[in-house]
Amino acid sequence: MESPLFLVDDKHLPLYRIVWVSDTPHFCGEEDCMCEGRYEVRLEADESLWANREERDCLVTALQQWCGDVEGEGPIEGDL
Ligand SMILES: [Zn+2]
C-alpha cells in the first residue's frame, strides 16, 4: 500500500495530519512576513506548514486520491 506521505518544504508530512489546505495564497501585509504568497497547510495542534503553489496543487491531488482510496475500502451506502 502506498504510504500517505507528502513532501512540503523539506518535511515529509503524513496526509492524515492535515486539517486543511489553503485555497488562496497567504497575505497579511507584514513587510517581514516569510510566508507571503505561500499556501498554508494546517496541521493538528495549531501547527502550520507553508507550501508553494506547486506543492499545494500536488498535495490537494494526493489528499483527494488518499481520501478516495479510504472511501473505496468498504461498501458505501449512498442515497444518490
Ligand atoms: Zn504573513
Side-chain angles (χ1 to χ4, degrees):
M1 184 182 163
E2 206 174 316
S3 175
L5 282 178
F6 194 87
L7 186 66
V8 175
D9 216 348
D10 63 346
K11 296 156 193 78
H12 290 277
L13 176 67
L15 293 184
Y16 61 80
R17 288 209 58 208
I18 298 170
V19 181
W20 50 256
V21 180
S22 180
D23 196 49
T24 53
H26 173 76
F27 173 78
C28 66
E30 304 224 5
E31 246 174 64
D32 58 350
C33 180
M34 303 292 287
C35 314
E36 193 139 327
R38 294 177 76 87
Y39 294 81
E40 186 168 7
V41 179
R42 187 67 164 187
L43 308 179
E44 296 158 4
D46 284 349
E47 284 181 80
S48 289
L49 286 178
W50 299 91
N52 62 29
R53 168 134 206 178
E54 195 181 328
E55 288 169 338
R56 195 282 311 260
D57 288 348
C58 292
L59 181 53
V60 170
T61 303
L63 277 170
Q64 283 168 342
Q65 284 174 351
W66 183 56
C67 291
D69 285 351
V70 171
E71 280 175 18
E73 276 175 12
I76 298 168
E77 291 183 40
D79 51 1
L80 294 171

